[in-house]
């Protein structure tokens, strides 16, 4: 966050731009959707506060997740409310224990993907409104992170296959209109992506580290090492939660959920979307492995930097999708649904983290402030500097905590 996401919002608030002479943002090729959303909240309050930024991120999450519940059949007793509330609140924390305390976007793009797929699967009375919602979701995806453009493309492919295989058999006229709508959405997001990256190419960077520090790009002989590490992390080592679930075991649990729900489900389209979501995990893992091999710097690729955070994007999307599919089942199965959902949540929730950072949050905040104050020595020189003075803060490594914390402060 201090390396990019929080810095970007602060620069936008101070200068109403995050490129240019005053900017210290070094990754200005990252799309800015969530930063703009947080910036709007700051501008409404006319003050920069980190709690406002976090609140904005949480508002964005609930704005995406609550509309998914529209497809659930409610009864007068509102029994399902007792299942839905824990799902909405706790499922993201299974994969991102600090989900409500951070502004990293990997979790939220998983939610965006689940939102688009749920809207596409749902039965919207007004087709125009349905595709406006899908367009909004796709725009959010392509403007949140570079890797989430792949999720936008994947969701469009899932929808197109749905219309070609199932739609044309039922109603050719309406399906052709829906295919046209999907094509129009493709053109709109293509224009948006081209406009954004054409701006990025010509954008000014005050600090371009690639010109200052030599970058160790990965060599062909090291690709095999990256692939081995990736397979090892995926199948054996990396723990996705404090309950010691690996990527493989988490995926296996999602497959069990899929088998349970798809066997109970009669509708063919719902089965198709369920299978498509599982296949998306494999596609996402393959794409992530290729990204480590081709885009990342050598030491980041070999050590699989941020592996858990990146993988959890698609696992969270699947968890949200299947949880709501379970909740949507007929009322006569409500007791089984409740038991299944509660058991899954209890087995996977990072309870220690919840207690430390949420229940006893004040202690965590105080500890965080103490740690951050260590890296604010520069403030003592504030009154001795002129506006035109330049300050060079030299550290040993670019990504060290003292560098990124001082840059944010």
């Amino acid at each position: 966050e201090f390396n990019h996401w929080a810095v970007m919002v602060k620069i936008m608030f101070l200068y109403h731009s995050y490129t240019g002479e005053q900017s210290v943002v070094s990754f200005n090729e990252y799309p800015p959707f969530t930063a703009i959303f947080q910036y709007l909240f700051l501008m409404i309050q006319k003050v920069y506060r980190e709690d406002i930024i976090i609140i904005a991120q949480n508002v964005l999450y609930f704005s995406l997740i609550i509309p998914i519940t529209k497809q659930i059949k409610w009864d007068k007793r509102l029994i399902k409310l007792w299942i839905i509330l824990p799902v909405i609140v706790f499922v993201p924390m299974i994969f991102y224990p600090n989900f409500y305390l951070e502004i990293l976007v990997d979790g939220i793009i998983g939610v965006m993907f689940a939102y688009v797929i749920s809207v596409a699967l749902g039965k919207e009375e007004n087709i125009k409104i349905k595709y406006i919602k899908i367009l909004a979701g796709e725009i959010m995806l392509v403007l949140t992170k570079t890797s989430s453009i792949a999720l936008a493309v994947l969701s469009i492919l899932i929808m197109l296959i749905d219309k070609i295989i199932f739609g044309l058999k039922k109603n050719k006229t309406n399906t052709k209109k829906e295919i046209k709508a999907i094509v129009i959405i493709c053109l709109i997001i293509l224009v948006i992506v081209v406009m954004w990256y054409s701006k990025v190419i010509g954008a000014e960077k005050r600090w371009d580290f690639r010109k200052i520090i030599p970058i160790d790009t990965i060599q062909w002989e090291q690709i095999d090492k990256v692939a081995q590490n990736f397979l090892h992390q995926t199948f054996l080592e990396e723990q996705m939660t404090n309950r010691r679930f690996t990527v493989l075991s988490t995926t296996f649990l999602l497959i069990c959920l899929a088998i349970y729900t798809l066997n109970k489900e009669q509708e063919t389209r719902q089965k198709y979307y369920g299978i498509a979501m599982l296949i998306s995990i494999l596609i996402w893992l393959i794409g992530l492995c290729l990204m480590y091999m081709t885009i990342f710097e050598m030491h980041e690729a070999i050590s699989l930097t941020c592996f858990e955070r990146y993988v959890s994007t698609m696992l969270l999307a699947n968890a949200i999708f299947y949880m709501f599919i379970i909740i949507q089942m007929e009322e006569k199965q409500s007791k089984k649904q409740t038991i299944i959902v509660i058991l899954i949540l209890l087995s996977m929730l990072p309870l220690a983290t919840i207690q430390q950072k949420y229940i006893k949050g004040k202690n965590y905040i105080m500890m965080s402030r103490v740690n951050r104050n260590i890296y604010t020595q520069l403030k003592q020189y504030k009154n001795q500097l002129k506006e035109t003075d330049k300050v060079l803060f030299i550290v040993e490594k670019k990504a060290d905590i003292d560098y990124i914390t001082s840059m944010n402060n």
Side-chain angles (χ1 to χ4, degrees), residues 218-243:
I218 193 163
Q219 305 298 320
W220 280 106
E221 58 269 18
Q222 294 161 329
I223 288 179
D224 185 53
K225 177 67 174 175
V226 174
Q228 288 179 15
N229 290 350
F230 190 90
L231 290 172
H232 186 263
Q233 292 281 70
T234 301
F235 291 104
L236 297 173
E237 187 172 314
E238 190 64 48
Q239 300 168 6
M240 304 309 298
T241 74
N242 288 13
R243 297 287 184 176

Side-chain angles (χ1 to χ4, degrees), residues 148-300:
S148 59
I149 295 174
L151 293 179
V153 173
L154 185 57
S155 62
I156 288 170
L157 286 174
I158 291 171
M159 288 186 286
L160 278 174
I161 293 170
D162 167 35
K163 298 307 169 191
I164 292 169
I165 294 177
F166 304 106
L168 290 174
K169 292 179 181 179
K170 292 182 178 180
N171 191 324
K172 285 187 177 181
T173 305
N174 286 343
T175 301
K176 286 179 180 178
K177 290 179 181 178
E178 291 190 56
I179 291 173
K180 285 181 181 178
I182 295 171
V183 171
I184 291 169
I185 289 172
C186 290
L187 293 173
I188 291 171
I189 63 172
L190 178 63
V191 169
I192 290 171
V193 169
V194 170
M195 286 175 63
W196 169 252
Y197 283 99
S198 63
K199 288 283 186 182
V200 166
I201 291 170
E204 180 185 353
K205 278 189 179 182
R206 187 177 184 186
W207 301 103
D208 191 346
F209 290 104
R210 292 181 181 274
K211 294 180 179 178
I212 301 171
I213 303 170
I215 303 298
D216 294 326
T217 55
I218 193 163
Q219 305 298 320
W220 280 106
E221 58 269 18
Q222 294 161 329
I223 288 179
D224 185 53
K225 177 67 174 175
V226 174
Q228 288 179 15
N229 290 350
F230 190 90
L231 290 172
H232 186 263
Q233 292 281 70
T234 301
F235 291 104
L236 297 173
E237 187 172 314
E238 190 64 48
Q239 300 168 6
M240 304 309 298
T241 74
N242 288 13
R243 297 287 184 176
R244 299 184 181 277
F245 278 76
T246 63
V247 178
L248 181 63
S249 58
T250 307
T251 305
F252 178 74
L253 180 59
L254 289 169
I255 292 170
C256 292
L257 273 177
I259 293 170
Y260 173 79
T261 54
L262 297 181
N263 281 339
K264 300 283 184 182
E265 187 56 51
Q266 300 298 320
E267 190 179 339
T268 309
R269 282 186 72 241
Q270 200 145 345
K271 290 183 178 181
Y272 160 73
Y273 273 90
I275 294 169
M277 286 297 287
L278 288 177
I279 294 173
S280 297
I281 297 176
L282 178 61
I283 294 171
W284 184 253
L285 286 171
I286 293 170
L288 188 56
C289 185
L290 291 173
M291 190 169 69
Y292 278 115
M293 289 178 177
T294 56
I295 297 174
F296 278 68
E297 297 173 19
M298 182 179 65
H299 71 279
E300 292 179 338

Side-chain angles (χ1 to χ4, degrees), residues 336-383:
K336 288 183 180 179
Q337 295 166 240
T338 306
I339 293 170
I340 290 170
V341 171
I342 290 172
L343 286 175
I344 292 171
L345 287 176
L346 287 177
S347 67
M348 298 187 73
L349 273 177
L351 298 178
T353 303
I354 292 172
Q355 182 183 14
Q356 178 191 5
K357 296 183 179 178
Y358 293 89
I359 298 173
K360 298 180 179 179
K362 287 185 178 179
N363 296 336
Y364 181 71
I365 292 169
M366 289 176 62
M367 185 174 66
S368 176
R369 285 175 178 169
V370 169
N371 290 336
R372 286 176 61 174
N373 286 337
I374 297 171
Y375 304 106
T376 57
Q377 301 98 328
L378 285 174
K379 290 185 177 180
Q380 63 183 302
Y381 302 107
K382 182 178 178 182
N383 296 329

Side-chain angles (χ1 to χ4, degrees), residues 10-53:
K10 180 176 279 189
I11 293 297
M12 288 174 70
F13 178 79
L14 292 174
Y15 304 110
H16 308 292
S17 172
Y18 84 112
T19 60
E21 189 176 338
Q22 302 93 343
S23 177
V24 293
V25 175
S26 53
F27 303 105
N28 61 357
E29 65 272 16
Y30 280 22
F33 175 78
T34 54
I36 291 172
F37 192 81
Q38 294 150 15
Y39 168 78
L40 290 174
F41 274 67
L42 292 174
M43 293 308 295
I44 291 170
Q45 296 293 322
K46 302 293 184 184
V47 63
Y48 180 86
R49 290 210 327 252
E50 291 180 357
D51 57 331
I52 296 174
I53 297 173

Side-chain angles (χ1 to χ4, degrees), residues 70-115:
K70 182 181 178 182
Q71 305 300 327
I72 296 171
K73 295 177 182 178
W74 299 88
D75 69 346
K76 293 180 181 179
R77 295 172 296 166
L78 296 178
I79 293 174
K80 291 187 177 181
L81 185 64
W82 299 103
I83 314 173
I84 291 166
L85 285 177
V87 168
I88 288 175
V89 173
F90 292 118
V91 166
M93 296 169 67
I94 292 173
F95 302 98
Y96 298 93
N98 298 329
F99 187 83
Y100 298 105
L101 303 173
E102 63 187 18
I103 59 173
L104 298 172
V105 300
D106 304 276
I108 204 72
I109 62 175
V111 179
M112 290 174 183
F113 182 68
Y115 167 79

Side-chain angles (χ1 to χ4, degrees), residues 385-403:
L385 297 171
K386 299 177 183 177
E387 288 187 7
T388 54
D389 289 342
K390 289 185 178 180
V391 177
L392 297 181
F393 183 51
I394 301 171
V395 294
E396 291 183 7
K397 296 180 181 178
K398 175 189 144 188
D400 271 0
I401 185 66
D402 49 357
Y403 167 78

